[in-house]
Amino acid sequence: MNNEELWQAVLAQIQFNISQANFSTWFKNTRIFDKKDGAIWVSVPNSFSQEWLENKYHKTILKILHGLDEEIKEVKYLVGKFNFKTPQEKEKAFLPESNQLEFQEFKVDKETNLNPRYTFENFIVGSFNELPHAAAISVSKDPGLIYNPLFIYGGVGLGKTHLLQAIGNEVVKNFPQKKVRYISSEKFTSEMVAAIRNQKIENLKEKYRLLDVLIIDDVQFLAGKEKTQEEFFHTFNALYEKNKQIILSSDHPPKAIPALEERLRSRFEGGMIADISLPDFETRMAILNFKMQERKIDLQEDILNYIASNIKRNIRELEGALNRLIAYQKLNAKTLDLEVVKALLKNLILSPTKVANPKKIVQVVAGFYDLKEKDIIASSRKREIVRPRQIAIYLLREELKCSYPFIGKRIGGKDHTTAIHGYEKIKKELSSNENLKEEISLIRQRIYS
Ligand code: ADP
Ligand code: MG
């Protein structure tokens, strides 16, 4: 057995013993990358998974490995990438986590923040996104001259970031001399705050004013950030006057973004506003078919029908469903039938009548992390408990709008400041941590299923 087969065999056994959600959370992107002197080295995508595997699954993993190969006496976990083509790559892979790019095949360009994964070629167009797509194409051909700003809005997971990034990539391809920068409004805000603190605001202004194309994603998060809005207003004007292209996205149209300064709102409304609505059934099928080809798998028509009929509001979730089926198929080397698919996707497909309550949230979070309810409610400070507890706090606030004093009393018997701290911590981290986002979305699905 080579390393890959060995690990597949381990995963296949582990999958029997733990829930699908836990499995995909903790074992996704894990590999054996080395086997030496009776020790197995497993690479994991981040330090949180590492801690989790060490603390919760180590014994099981070791037992299974030892059962497969008696020589194996030890397992170690390392954060890093695993497919090295050169020794330099191997070295780079084991730099501390913060020095690494996100765990992904595509590299985000450091100057432009563009990810080559997002292109117009792999963006499916239907009546739900026809207008923003057409506007994006024309802007990418003639930046600064047609619609300025271009403002795209729509719900979560419907392709705003994809479209914005595709414009950026296209401009870079067609006009290599043009300076393009993509940035989320949260990053923009934190750059601004840091620059003010370090008295470098002039440098930052200068940097933005030299751009030909400025793309700011999710501008709804500028709400209430008065200082950032003010700086952005001046940057906006400076670019606009020089016919430089500005592209923005948000979850709502400008007039529905709360706590946005009037003068900025009217700037946002001064160009083209285009919304992405919801894809219809045929388009959802087209998206599934396209993504299936991309991933080189084949699923029966009735399975695709089932997914497209049940996941309607979010393209990211359509992809999530496919990924889950692919992972299962890889591990089990079986053709999927509809019954298995239903079971696998049970917690992705929500029943809208279900509602959450505090007990349910605590229960689900505890179950998700293989903890007991009382671990979450009690006041232990162990890291493997503190974090799930903060996630529970976050969800109580987000899903049920519980007050901080209520949350504090209910969780850990603490006062409201602990609840505020927990909520803010998770909220902040969510803006940059894709793994956490995914975990929380899996937990939400369980809460409502
Ligand atoms: P948003 O920014 O609106 O939350 P994203 O742009 O991140 O959504 O899209 C979520 C996922 O769905 C991404 O992986 C993206 O590539 C994919 N996606 C969204 N819209 C389309 C589309 N029209 N065609 C193909 N893939 C899409
Ligand atoms: Mg987005």
Side-chain angles (χ1 to χ4, degrees):
M1 247 197 268
N2 65 26
N3 287 345
E4 192 173 336
E5 287 160 355
L6 189 60
W7 194 236
Q8 290 302 326
V10 172
L11 294 181
Q13 292 196 36
I14 285 182
Q15 214 183 9
F16 270 117
N17 298 318
I18 67 176
S19 71
Q20 180 69 32
N22 279 333
F23 182 76
S24 56
T25 307
W26 305 119
F27 290 91
K28 196 176 65 186
N29 292 333
T30 59
R31 294 279 153 94
I32 292 179
F33 76 92
D34 214 353
K35 181 176 166 199
K36 237 190 348 233
D37 311 326
I40 292 283
W41 295 78
V42 176
S43 76
V44 298
N46 53 56
S47 60
F48 195 49
S49 304
Q50 177 183 28
E51 202 167 312
W52 215 268
L53 294 190
E54 278 168 354
N55 292 337
K56 300 213 62 135
Y57 297 113
H58 178 70
K59 276 200 192 125
T60 317
I61 295 171
L62 182 59
K63 207 164 126 199
I64 298 173
L65 278 168
H66 187 72
L68 293 163
D69 179 347
E70 283 194 348
E71 308 250 284
I72 298 170
K73 303 245 158 53
E74 210 182 338
V75 187
K76 298 203 163 135
Y77 309 89
L78 261 187
V79 178
K81 280 197 176 180
F82 32 75
N83 286 327
F84 316 115
K85 293 191 190 77
T86 62
Q88 288 86 339
E89 268 185 40
K90 182 160 184 170
E91 195 169 293
K92 209 162 116 209
F94 293 101
L95 291 173
E97 192 179 3
S98 59
N99 286 344
Q100 283 187 36
L101 289 166
E102 284 257 54
F103 221 68
Q104 59 197 6
E105 295 163 54
F106 293 99
K107 282 224 165 80
V108 175
D109 184 284
K110 281 221 178 66
E111 277 295 305
T112 62
N113 294 328
L114 291 171
N115 184 334
R117 155 177 192 255
Y118 298 111
T119 64
F120 285 127
E121 285 75 39
N122 61 14
F123 189 81
I124 309 278
V125 185
S127 53
F128 76 112
N129 61 9
E130 212 169 354
L131 177 65
H133 173 259
I137 295 268
S138 34
V139 159
S140 69
K141 289 192 176 134
D142 262 328
L145 298 176
I146 304 185
Y147 307 121
N148 210 9
L150 171 60
F151 189 105
I152 293 174
Y153 75 93
V156 180
L158 289 172
K160 301 183 294 296
T161 298
H162 190 135
L163 210 44
L164 261 55
Q165 288 257 344
I167 301 175
N169 281 318
E170 190 70 15
V171 171
V172 168
K173 192 168 88 191
N174 295 339
F175 309 94
Q177 76 287 5
K178 285 201 191 296
K179 281 197 161 53
V180 178
R181 187 168 168 84
Y182 165 95
I183 192 158
S184 68
S185 73
E186 291 116 311
K187 282 243 170 69
F188 184 76
T189 303
S190 57
E191 273 190 3
M192 205 63 96
V193 171
I196 292 170
R197 188 178 339 110
N198 304 327
Q199 303 184 322
K200 294 246 168 69
I201 191 77
E202 289 309 316
N203 303 18
L204 191 70
K205 276 185 183 162
E206 182 68 15
K207 176 167 118 186
Y208 276 98
R209 280 164 207 197
L210 290 173
L211 292 174
D212 295 292
V213 178
L214 171 59
I215 306 173
I216 302 203
D217 206 351
D218 288 322
V219 292
Q220 72 272 16
F221 295 125
L222 293 177
K225 314 255 165 64
E226 284 150 33
K227 186 70 191 153
T228 307
Q229 286 189 24
E230 188 186 328
E231 288 300 338
F232 181 48
F233 178 74
H234 296 303
T235 303
F236 187 105
N237 290 341
L239 291 174
Y240 184 83
E241 277 158 23
K242 288 189 286 182
N243 285 333
K244 304 300 187 185
Q245 181 70 47
I246 299 150
I247 304 160
L248 308 160
S249 86
S250 167
D251 61 350
H252 286 103
K255 65 174 179 317
I257 304 176
L260 186 67
E261 265 191 65
E262 200 41 50
R263 54 181 185 171
L264 209 45
R265 188 188 316 278
S266 79
R267 285 291 184 282
F268 289 178
E269 284 172 342
M272 156 76 109
I273 299 181
D275 77 307
I276 303 185
S277 60
L278 295 175
D280 58 21
F281 177 79
E282 283 70 26
T283 314
R284 298 198 295 276
M285 285 295 274
I287 292 171
L288 285 172
N289 270 303
F290 183 85
K291 307 253 165 190
M292 235 174 34
Q293 283 172 18
E294 250 183 358
R295 291 166 172 69
K296 303 202 176 47
I297 60 148
D298 209 9
L299 294 172
Q300 300 159 28
E301 193 73 11
D302 60 335
I303 294 177
L304 294 179
N305 252 307
Y306 176 76
I307 303 174
S309 317
N310 285 285
I311 301 180
K312 302 178 179 167
R313 313 185 60 86
N314 187 324
I315 296 172
R316 189 177 293 122
E317 283 178 4
L318 281 180
E319 287 184 333
L322 270 187
N323 289 340
R324 198 174 280 194
L325 301 186
I326 293 169
Y328 181 87
Q329 211 167 27
K330 266 198 192 144
L331 284 172
N332 295 280
K334 268 192 284 201
T335 24
L336 285 161
D337 63 44
L338 191 56
E339 285 318 301
V340 174
V341 169
K342 281 185 182 167
L344 283 173
L345 300 184
K346 206 171 69 197
N347 50 16
L348 249 183
I349 289 168
L350 322 175
S351 68
T353 47
K354 293 274 169 63
V355 284
N357 59 50
K359 184 160 174 58
K360 177 106 199 243
I361 289 182
V362 172
Q363 237 169 23
V364 169
V365 172
F368 186 85
Y369 294 104
D370 279 341
L371 298 169
K372 303 213 167 55
E373 255 174 84
K374 65 175 196 303
D375 293 332
I376 303 254
I377 295 170
S379 57
S380 155
R381 301 180 59 87
K382 282 196 203 138
R383 178 166 175 202
E384 71 245 41
I385 293 177
V386 169
R387 188 167 163 101
R389 184 182 295 137
Q390 285 169 341
I391 289 174
I393 290 172
Y394 174 82
L395 287 167
L396 286 170
R397 181 81 186 164
E398 282 286 305
E399 303 301 296
L400 301 176
K401 312 284 171 237
C402 293
S403 74
Y404 288 123
F406 172 89
I407 298 174
K409 221 184 292 163
R410 179 116 193 168
I411 306 249
K414 300 262 170 55
D415 65 10
H416 64 285
T417 54
T418 314
I420 295 174
H421 172 76
Y423 174 78
E424 295 292 339
K425 179 137 194 296
I426 298 297
K427 185 163 172 85
K428 179 148 176 261
E429 207 180 315
L430 272 175
S431 65
S432 59
N433 184 337
E434 287 296 324
N435 287 330
L436 180 62
K437 252 189 227 169
E438 199 167 309
E439 255 169 59
I440 290 191
S441 116
L442 287 168
I443 294 174
R444 275 212 177 92
Q445 283 153 21
R446 279 196 185 183
I447 292 172
Y448 293 102
S449 66

